[in-house]
């Protein structure tokens, strides 16, 4: 499970970095989104992976998983969601005002 | 538990929410409320400074959850010093905005208060993830302020600024996640303990996380080679926003100073002095590049933005020398350079508004109305920014150079700082003479804006008076800076106040 998750985070990060380095606003926004997915999974994994264990106190539980990374991921998801919405609006505004979606505002 | 430590964080948040609720109300009411909130913030910052000036460290446990399980706010001398600098700067930036810029777009006052909320929170928090959250708050508000007023060039610069900072935020989360994965805590005082006791296997992981963290802070502080976003963003933002942004690079410098002294200070065992060989050379290179950019600029606003890069270089040079004397010099220099840069942004707006089509480009144009007053004030601001006597910039640089004499690299530091000052002087003298002396005779058309010069320049004069105040009170203030430096170089007190022996 650890290897699969590590591989997923790696692939998401690689795709995110590649797309964020493109010259058009849309791939850049997609790249930043992939990067935020990767970092969310990464934060989640930092509490160690476990199956079938509750994060909050439960009389029947054999053990617990770390609840802090889950709270961190929740915060990070909310923030990255808001930031993505903002950057999409900004990219649309730039597309309308500059006449194209090149990140420097000019063709070629 | 005193509530003083959280008051400077809550006040701008509440004011911002109130302003949002009143967004359809009378503009005069909103302006009065905004100014009143900033004045009250100054009062709170002064109270906080007085409360911690004796060396006490105020710890505020949110929800009364004990550290390290809950989030804490920590006010020590360093935090209080920066909160006061921010509040004073904000007052004059806001007064400038009241002259019409605040109605050029929507929600200026709301965003302004939320920016102050983020800044105060970033300076006062004692939790690394909380620092990330406050960084996001102040960045999101700054995106809005940066784009305030609209326009093509501003949108393009804004897109770069936003995308770059989003990438920076992602790296911040990677670093925070790694540190949590290894140490199991996010409280900065607890991290200081855990980092010092990290097992040998994990030392490289913590080192990587620490350096990633410094990379993010270097992006905010505009340290070479991560300074490229700053000149375009600051040169395009509206004048009050740019003036307020003068404190934003200092947030990065503060975070570098806080994390490097607290978590990776002398007591951190194998990870002590993590930044050792990096910070000083990069800071000196930033200083040179900033000054060269200032000499090469073709517009006044861009020139001031490059001077902000150079001042970040000077500041980080002081922090990079990493002695009590040099950090004290840097802390004394910090408010000075913030106020001087903000003053230059405000006066370049006043100059650009009187040159019609030419705006702030360095091309000879018709003589400015009231050029004697404008030119005189520009001269004073330039003297402050270049660090010439008699103003406080000179004292700051003098303290820095004196502190550098004990360092093995002193010839490099002295040479670079002095050559950088000379370049800055040349750049400002050239722009001053181009704007004010090489005037063409006016061609019939009357100058566009005449009235209200005195009122327009009042915030600017206020910032200069703060600089004069820094000079007059140099004795007590540099003593305070010295005490601050000694306090942060002994992280034991901070750790003890947060974790040991309960509340104060």
């Amino acid at each position: 499970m650890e290897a699969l998750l590590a591989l997923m985070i790696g692939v998401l990060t690689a795709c995110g970095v590649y797309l964020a380095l493109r010259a058009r606003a849309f791939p850049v926004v997609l790249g930043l989104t992939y990067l935020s997915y990767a970092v969310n999974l990464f934060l989640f994994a930092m509490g160690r992976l476990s199956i079938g264990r509750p994060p909050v106190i439960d009389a029947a539980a054999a053990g617990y998983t770390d609840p802090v990374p889950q709270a961190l991921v929740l915060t990070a998801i909310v923030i990255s969601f808001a930031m993505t919405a903002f950057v999409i609006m900004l990219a649309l505004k730039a597309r309308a005002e500059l006449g194209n979606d090149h990140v420097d505002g000019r063709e070629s | 538990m005193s509530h003083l430590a959280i008051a400077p964080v809550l006040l701008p948040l509440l004011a911002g929410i109130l302003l949002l609720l009143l967004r359809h109300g009378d503009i005069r009411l909103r302006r009065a409320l905004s100014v009143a909130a900033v004045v009250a913030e100054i009062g709170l910052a002064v109270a906080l400074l007085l409360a911690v000036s004796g060396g006490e460290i105020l710890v505020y446990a949110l929800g009364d959850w004990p550290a390290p399980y809950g989030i804490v706010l920590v006010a020590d001398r360093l935090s209080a010093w920066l909160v006061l600098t921010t509040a004073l700067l904000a007052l004059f930036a806001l007064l400038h905005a009241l002259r019409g810029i605040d109605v050029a777009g929507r929600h200026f006052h709301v965003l302004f208060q939320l920016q102050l909320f983020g800044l105060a929170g970033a300076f006062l928090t004692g939790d690394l993830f909380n620092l990330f959250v406050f960084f996001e708050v102040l960045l999101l508000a700054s995106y809005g302020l940066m784009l305030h007023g609209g326009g093509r060039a501003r949108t393009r610069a804004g897109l770069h600024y936003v995308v770059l900072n989003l990438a920076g935020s992602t790296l911040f989360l990677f670093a925070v996640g790694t540190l949590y994965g290894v140490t199991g805590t996010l409280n900065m005082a607890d991290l200081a303990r855990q980092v010092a006791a990290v097992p040998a296997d994990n030392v490289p992981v913590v080192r990587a996380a620490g350096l990633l963290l410094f990379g993010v802070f270097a992006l905010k502080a505009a340290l070479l080679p991560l300074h490229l976003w700053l000149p375009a963003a600051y040169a395009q933002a509206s004048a009050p926003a740019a003036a307020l942004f003068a404190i934003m690079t200092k947030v990065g410098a503060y975070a570098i100073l806080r994390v490097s002294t607290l978590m990776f200070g002398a007591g951190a065992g194998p990870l002590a002095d993590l930044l050792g060989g990096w910070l000083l050379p990069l800071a000196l290179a930033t200083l040179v590049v900033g000054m060269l950019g200032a000499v090469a600029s073709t517009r006044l606003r861009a020139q001031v933005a490059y001077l902000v890069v150079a001042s970040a270089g000077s500041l980080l040079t002081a922090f990079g020398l990493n002695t009590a004397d040099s950090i004290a010099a840097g802390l004394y220099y910090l408010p000075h350079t913030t106020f001087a840069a903000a003053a230059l942004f405000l006066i370049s707006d006043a100059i650009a508004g009187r040159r019609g089509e030419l705006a702030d480009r360095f091309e000879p144009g018709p003589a400015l109305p009231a050029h004697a007053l404008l030119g005189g004030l520009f001269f004073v601001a330039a003297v402050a920014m270049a660090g010439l006597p008699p103003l406080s910039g000179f004292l700051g640089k003098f303290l820095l150079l004196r502190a550098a004499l004990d360092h093995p690299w002193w010839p490099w530091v002295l040479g670079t700082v002095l050559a950088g000052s000379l370049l800055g002087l040349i750049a400002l003298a050239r722009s001053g003479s181009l704007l004010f002396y090489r005037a063409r005779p006016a061609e019939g058309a009357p100058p566009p804006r005449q009235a209200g010069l005195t009122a327009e320049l009042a915030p600017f004069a206020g910032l200069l008076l703060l600089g004069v105040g820094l000079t007059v009170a140099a004795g007590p203030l540099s003593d305070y800076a010295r005490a601050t430096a000694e306090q942060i170089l002994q992280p034991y007190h901070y750790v003890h106040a947060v974790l040991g022996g309960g509340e104060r």
Side-chain angles (χ1 to χ4, degrees):
Chain A
M1 188 163 63
E2 281 83 358
L4 186 64
L5 191 76
L7 199 66
M8 271 177 64
I9 295 172
V11 169
L12 279 173
T13 310
C15 293
V17 169
Y18 176 79
L19 286 171
L21 294 175
R22 300 285 88 195
R24 307 246 160 221
F26 181 63
V28 170
V29 173
L30 271 189
L32 291 172
T33 315
Y34 274 134
L35 278 176
S36 73
Y37 290 165
V39 82
N40 289 341
L41 286 175
F42 179 78
L43 280 178
F44 189 72
M46 279 303 118
R48 307 297 184 267
L49 302 177
S50 56
I51 293 175
R53 294 185 169 190
V56 287
I57 294 175
D58 179 0
Y64 296 103
T65 181
D66 190 347
V68 176
Q70 308 190 6
L72 300 185
V73 167
L74 201 61
T75 316
I77 288 174
V78 173
I79 290 177
S80 69
F81 184 73
M83 291 295 179
T84 307
F86 184 84
V87 80
I88 288 175
M89 283 313 296
L90 185 59
L92 287 173
K93 184 174 151 79
R95 168 72 184 81
E97 285 188 4
L98 304 171
N100 62 70
D101 70 342
H102 194 282
V103 288
D104 283 335
R106 53 171 187 267
E107 289 295 334
S108 80
Chain B
M1 185 160 61
S2 159
H3 293 271
L4 191 57
I6 198 174
V9 184
L10 280 186
L11 176 75
L13 175 65
L14 295 177
I17 293 172
L18 196 57
L19 283 163
L20 189 62
L21 293 174
L22 293 171
R23 65 188 180 282
H24 299 303
D26 188 0
I27 181 71
R28 278 172 300 180
L29 175 68
R30 278 183 286 154
R31 283 173 173 170
L33 193 65
S34 199
V35 172
V38 174
V39 171
E41 175 85 354
I42 294 177
L44 286 175
V46 170
L48 189 65
L49 190 84
L50 293 176
V52 300
S53 62
E56 301 87 347
I57 295 176
L58 299 179
V59 179
Y60 186 89
L62 290 160
D64 214 10
W65 290 95
Y69 304 108
I71 291 172
V72 290
L73 297 178
V74 184
D76 62 354
R77 289 191 179 116
L78 177 62
S79 308
W81 183 241
L82 282 153
V83 170
L84 183 60
T85 306
T86 309
L88 287 171
L89 175 73
L91 177 65
F92 294 105
L94 185 62
L95 288 178
H96 185 85
L98 294 188
R99 296 191 44 80
I101 296 171
D102 58 341
V103 288
R106 291 159 65 192
H107 303 312
F108 179 87
H109 292 291
V110 179
L111 291 167
F112 195 90
Q113 296 293 338
L114 288 181
Q115 169 101 57
L116 291 183
F117 165 60
L119 285 164
F123 291 138
L124 285 168
T125 184
D127 184 279
L128 203 57
F129 193 79
N130 210 223
L131 182 67
F132 164 77
V133 174
F134 278 119
F135 264 40
E136 292 306 304
V137 170
L138 75 91
L139 284 173
L140 196 49
S142 81
Y143 302 155
L145 286 177
M146 152 99 219
L147 295 164
H148 179 79
R152 287 172 50 124
R154 204 169 275 174
T155 305
R156 184 165 60 212
L159 187 63
H160 295 178
Y161 176 69
V162 172
V163 167
L164 210 61
N165 276 305
L166 283 182
S169 304
T170 309
L171 287 180
F172 197 161
L173 278 178
F174 272 116
V176 167
T178 313
L179 279 175
Y180 182 81
V182 175
T183 62
T185 183
L186 289 167
N187 181 292
M188 295 206 290
D190 200 24
L191 269 172
R193 276 190 184 170
Q194 303 287 347
V195 163
V198 79
D201 293 359
N202 285 334
V203 165
V205 184
V206 176
R207 188 187 298 273
L211 286 174
L212 202 55
L213 214 49
F214 285 119
V216 178
F217 298 152
L219 173 70
K220 316 282 182 209
L223 189 68
L224 190 89
L226 299 169
H227 69 287
L228 292 167
W229 59 273
L230 190 143
Y234 282 31
Q236 295 301 340
S238 63
L244 187 63
F245 287 2
I247 194 77
M248 296 259 291
T249 55
K250 277 68 181 179
V251 181
Y254 161 81
I256 289 178
L257 184 64
R258 173 70 81 198
V259 170
S260 69
T261 52
L262 184 61
M263 284 161 52
F264 301 104
L271 289 155
D273 204 18
L274 183 68
L275 274 190
W278 292 97
L279 189 56
L280 190 56
L282 285 176
L284 290 174
T286 310
L287 178 62
V288 173
V289 167
M291 287 303 184
L292 287 176
V295 173
S297 299
T298 55
R299 293 176 54 219
L300 183 56
R301 295 282 300 273
Q303 184 172 60
V304 182
Y306 272 109
L307 288 171
V308 171
V309 175
S311 79
S314 305
L315 198 59
L316 290 169
T317 304
F319 295 165
L321 289 168
N322 205 15
T323 62
D325 282 329
S326 72
I327 292 175
L331 290 175
Y332 178 76
Y333 183 68
L334 188 148
H336 158 79
T337 175
T338 310
F339 297 148
L344 273 176
F345 275 123
L346 295 188
I347 197 160
S348 48
D349 192 42
I351 292 171
R354 287 178 173 68
R355 296 185 85 221
E357 289 281 298
L358 284 172
D360 62 344
R361 286 198 297 277
F362 290 143
E363 289 163 22
L368 291 166
H371 55 86
L373 179 63
L374 268 179
L377 287 173
F378 178 80
F379 177 73
V380 178
V383 164
M385 191 73 207
L388 293 181
L391 291 174
S392 48
F394 170 73
L395 293 173
K397 283 206 170 148
F398 173 75
L399 290 171
L400 168 62
L401 293 179
R402 200 179 59 179
L405 286 177
D406 299 331
H407 197 272
W409 290 11
W410 68 269
W412 289 98
V413 178
L414 257 65
T416 315
V417 172
L418 290 175
S421 300
L422 180 66
L423 281 175
L425 197 60
I426 292 171
L428 284 165
R430 192 183 67 108
S431 45
S433 59
L434 243 163
L435 290 171
F436 294 105
Y437 288 148
R438 285 183 50 194
R440 281 179 307 174
E443 292 158 6
R449 251 160 68 184
Q450 288 266 17
L453 182 66
T454 327
E456 186 178 339
L457 290 177
F460 168 77
L463 282 170
L464 285 188
L465 282 178
L466 283 180
V468 173
L470 276 172
T471 319
V472 173
L477 290 178
S478 61
D479 286 348
Y480 181 89
R482 169 88 203 185
T484 310
E486 279 165 3
Q487 188 182 41
I488 59 172
L489 284 175
Q490 292 168 332
Y492 167 77
H493 297 300
Y494 185 102
V495 174
H496 183 75
V498 175
L499 297 177
E503 304 159 6
R504 292 268 169 114

